[in-house]
Amino acid sequence: EKAAVVTATNAQVAASNRATRDALLAQSDWMVIKSQETSTTLNSDWATYREALRNITAHESWPNLEAADIVAETDGDWPVAPS
């Protein structure tokens, strides 16, 4: 019974994390569009960030990823967007 609850919880966390990942990718789509419109290469920092987001499900802590802690200045398990 506990295993079923843990599996359900992990599935919910995974779904939530995928939604977060998708939102972060959508927020950075403008960089890809800008590079395509100007016929320039996408900045490697942005390309690396987007690749890390797409590969987040392969993270060793998936789906139980640690969020960034702004106060403690830690990045957590999520990639950080370039500035």
Side-chain angles (χ1 to χ4, degrees):
E1 189 172 313
K2 280 186 180 182
V5 171
V6 169
T7 300
T9 301
N10 281 345
Q12 292 168 337
V13 170
S16 175
N17 284 343
R18 282 187 183 94
T20 299
R21 184 255 335 255
D22 293 347
L24 291 171
L25 280 168
Q27 288 174 7
S28 64
D29 281 349
W30 68 274
M31 288 298 297
V32 175
I33 294 167
K34 179 181 174 184
S35 71
Q36 290 175 342
E37 288 177 345
T38 59
S39 298
T40 59
T41 303
L42 180 64
N43 176 298
S44 64
D45 291 340
W46 280 101
T48 300
Y49 169 69
R50 290 175 56 84
E51 181 178 6
L53 285 172
R54 287 190 301 273
N55 294 333
I56 196 75
T57 58
H59 191 282
E60 63 186 21
S61 298
W62 181 263
N64 300 304
L65 302 174
E66 183 178 321
D69 185 341
I70 296 171
V71 175
E73 297 182 1
T74 60
D75 295 337
D77 294 328
W78 287 90
V80 176
S83 51

